[in-house]
Amino acid sequence: MSSVTSGPRKLYVKSYGCQMNVYDSQRMADVLAREGYVETAAPDDADLLVLNTCHIREKAAEKVYSELGRLRVLKAAAARDGRRLTVAVAGCVAQAEGEEIIRRAPVVDLVVGPQSYHRLPDLVARAERDGRVVDTEFPADDKFDHLAAPTSAATRARGAAAFVTVQEGCDKFCTFCVVPYTRGAEFSRPVQKIVAEVERLADAGVREIRLIGQNVNAWHGDGPDGRAWTLARLLYRLAEIPGVARLRYTTSHPRDMDADLIAAHGNLPALMPQLHLPVQSGADRVLAAMNRRHDCAGYLDVIARLKAARPDIALSSDFIVGFPGETEAEFRDTLALVDAVGFAGAYSFKYSPRPGTPAADSDAQVPEAEKTERLARLQARIDHHAGAFNAATVGRTAEILLEHPGKHAGQMVGRSPWMQAVQVMAPTSSRGQIVSVRISGTGTNSLYGTLLATPRPDDAAPWQDDSLRSEPVCVAGAGP
Ligand code: SAH
Ligand code: SF4
Ligand code: F3S
């Protein structure tokens, strides 16, 4: 246990959520670094502990309360040592539950919603001076204008790939989802601010930019010409920035995959051949009940056009099983969709009723045991396709961006164009380089590879092998 210390105050931030949640954690650390805080990797060493929470499923939201239980012990121990430990709850649980968090867990000093992170130093000071503070306002001003830029050293320490939030919030209101309530209405950052942030990251040595947003392909920020730009146009602009070698964007909605964006996958070399495009279900009745605003045929049409533009594109998706009223036949439509597309990977979840969302009130909730059983079947199918996708890489050469050192000495971890993690024996000095790697094997969560002396950019992508894929067909007939 640490004793009374002087010197800079120490900060520990823990992320529980999506990529935007991780990005927000970095911005909070950057804002607090300006006030002299330094990050620590050990929670029991911290003076300020921030839990950046996620509300998307019940399990995610409940995790924070078990963590807060443990923090009670830590806070008491710090007090015995004559130290003050300030506990802040940030993120989407903070936004959704506000004061309720303090009622349930009095260990909490500060509750701060995602729109107030630029006020964090002030809020921490107030909480420490006056007692508990809750700030879950949706301010009218642009919080991004006030969020601090990290130092070049902090940027470099985070690796050769970086997230940039370009869009936040959602207007789609899928009937299962809390995001429109926790993140508010859609907001797109203007082009010039995004360009400036990417230029700064590229100057600090970042080679891959991952644009993020809850609905990133709905982005339509103001351009320097006074017009609203599309995401495709933004991607072309960012590709011009010296040092930017790779671009990706996530998470997209099938409805917002416009023709320009699909074409960019064929025409813009910096845009990596990979796309995460959640579909949720393969049954049109379920999609309609989810208010997804697309049907199965529409989704498969987007996939076909993407593959026409970029035949080697690696596709991934999100699925929900056991949405209220989902029948066994409808679930099988989802399995058939998985087989039709042959996803390189996918996340799948049991439907979790979220307070305040329409689907939570449905009387047709699917029993837990059924959800568990369907999830296992779906995951087996997804794993089968992901395994085939990865196995097809073995023996091939791929361009790998070496992002950060691996667990073992002399090892670097990088990403293939298709977003697979690849472990390679390479010097630490090669970080940030794009190197040719011969893929030698597959592990549980990553591939293994051997560094080649000369890049071979013309090497064919493994999954152009048509035998791996079936033709997309609509598994559920015509849409509504
Ligand atoms: N904006 C993205 C997804 C954001 S949330 C989209 O439109 O697809 C990430 C994933 O969590 C979703 O794709 C969905 O699969 C899952 N999810 C969201 N709410 C859920 C709920 N109530 N129960 C189970 N899974 C959920
Ligand atoms: Fe949630 Fe739907 Fe918006 Fe995605 S599009 S964030 S699933 S409401
Ligand atoms: Fe979770 Fe909020 Fe992200 S609910 S998934 S942290 S937007």
Side-chain angles (χ1 to χ4, degrees):
M1 192 55 59
S2 51
S3 56
V4 182
T5 50
S6 56
R9 296 194 79 201
K10 292 192 185 139
L11 165 72
Y12 180 83
V13 189
K14 183 164 177 179
S15 265
Y16 290 85
C18 59
Q19 290 167 337
M20 187 170 298
N21 183 282
V22 173
Y23 174 90
D24 287 348
S25 289
Q26 293 174 351
R27 296 291 78 74
M28 284 192 264
D30 295 336
V31 160
L32 290 161
R34 264 203 312 213
E35 306 296 314
Y37 281 85
V38 293
E39 278 192 85
T40 171
D44 59 0
D45 199 29
D47 302 296
L48 172 60
L49 228 144
V50 181
L51 304 184
N52 194 9
T53 61
C54 175
H55 200 244
I56 201 84
R57 286 169 290 276
E58 192 181 355
K59 248 193 199 156
E62 282 306 313
K63 253 187 216 161
V64 63
Y65 287 105
S66 34
E67 184 68 28
L68 287 170
R70 285 191 284 275
L71 288 187
R72 229 178 34 205
V73 181
L74 206 62
K75 193 168 183 167
R80 277 199 302 278
D81 266 2
R83 280 193 314 128
R84 172 171 191 150
L85 170 61
T86 301
V87 176
V89 174
C92 292
V93 177
Q95 188 63 43
E97 297 188 4
E99 281 177 18
E100 174 64 18
I101 296 174
I102 291 179
R103 265 196 293 277
R104 261 184 85 174
V107 68
V108 174
D109 300 287
L110 168 64
V111 175
V112 54
Q115 304 308 322
S116 307
Y117 294 156
H118 54 294
R119 290 199 287 264
L120 203 52
D122 200 39
L123 295 170
V124 171
R126 259 176 52 206
E128 290 179 349
R129 192 185 58 228
D130 307 333
R132 299 192 169 99
V133 170
V134 175
D135 185 337
T136 52
E137 292 298 302
F138 273 104
D141 57 344
D142 178 356
K143 73 166 173 181
F144 292 101
D145 285 348
H146 308 285
L147 283 169
T151 61
S152 294
T155 300
R156 271 192 290 276
R158 287 172 190 158
F163 296 133
V164 173
T165 292
V166 297
Q167 180 279 336
E168 192 170 1
C170 182
D171 296 339
K172 294 231 168 25
F173 291 91
C174 299
T175 54
F176 53 81
C177 184
V178 292
V179 170
Y181 311 98
T182 60
R183 293 280 173 165
E186 242 184 65
F187 169 79
S188 291
R189 289 177 74 193
V191 173
Q192 270 157 321
K193 289 187 182 155
I194 297 166
V195 168
E197 185 168 339
V198 173
E199 283 174 343
R200 188 184 50 67
L201 290 165
D203 280 350
V206 170
R207 308 294 313 280
E208 175 171 316
I209 300 294
R210 298 181 187 153
L211 304 183
I212 54 174
Q214 272 92 22
N215 255 294
V216 74
N217 59 343
W219 178 89
H220 55 281
D222 293 335
D225 53 4
R227 298 185 172 186
W229 283 27
T230 61
L231 185 64
R233 189 154 178 209
L234 177 69
L235 288 164
Y236 280 100
R237 172 68 187 87
L238 297 180
E240 288 169 3
I241 295 173
V244 173
R246 292 178 160 197
L247 293 166
R248 303 182 198 267
Y249 58 95
T250 199
T251 294
S252 296
H253 192 287
R255 270 283 287 239
D256 296 318
M257 285 308 300
D258 66 37
D260 287 351
L261 190 53
I262 292 173
H265 279 277
N267 300 331
L268 183 59
L271 186 55
M272 290 293 98
Q274 172 259 324
L275 183 68
H276 186 65
L277 196 61
V279 62
Q280 315 300 352
S281 167
D284 284 343
R285 194 204 60 80
V286 176
L287 289 171
M290 287 176 163
N291 190 31
R292 286 292 291 179
R293 305 162 196 226
H294 61 80
D295 58 17
C296 171
Y299 183 81
L300 290 172
D301 177 57
V302 169
I303 298 289
R305 285 156 59 212
L306 280 162
K307 283 186 181 173
R310 183 76 205 223
D312 69 333
I313 194 162
L315 296 157
S316 57
S317 196
D318 291 344
F319 293 92
I320 294 177
V321 299
F323 182 79
E326 184 191 67
T327 63
E328 168 64 22
E330 286 167 341
F331 170 67
R332 280 203 223 116
D333 288 344
T334 299
L335 294 179
L337 177 81
V338 169
D339 288 341
V341 178
F343 292 103
Y347 298 104
S348 48
F349 312 99
K350 287 192 256 186
Y351 169 69
S352 169
R354 307 306 293 130
T357 60
D361 296 332
S362 165
D363 297 332
Q365 300 297 330
V366 174
E368 188 63 22
E370 217 144 302
K371 288 193 221 174
T372 305
E373 193 257 350
R374 285 181 194 171
L375 186 68
R377 282 159 69 200
L378 176 60
Q379 285 180 341
R381 233 12 123 77
I382 290 168
D383 288 350
H384 165 78
H385 289 287
F389 187 84
N390 289 333
T393 332
V394 176
R396 309 285 179 132
T397 301
E399 300 291 291
I400 307 298
L401 168 61
L402 298 174
E403 291 183 15
H404 53 79
K407 274 194 202 130
H408 305 292
Q411 190 186 56
M412 292 292 291
V413 181
R415 292 268 173 192
S416 76
W418 307 280
M419 201 62 181
Q420 297 146 301
V422 184
Q423 301 184 30
V424 190
M425 296 308 284
T428 321
S429 58
S430 59
R431 180 167 165 162
Q433 283 181 28
I434 295 171
V435 293
S436 277
V437 167
R438 175 76 62 193
I439 306 296
S440 54
T442 58
T444 329
N445 296 314
S446 57
L447 305 176
Y448 301 102
T450 319
L451 202 57
L452 295 179
T454 40
R456 291 180 46 195
D458 56 341
D459 212 350
W463 29 90
Q464 279 172 353
D465 177 358
D466 281 336
S467 63
L468 263 182
R469 295 183 178 275
S470 44
E471 271 303 297
V473 287
C474 183
V475 291

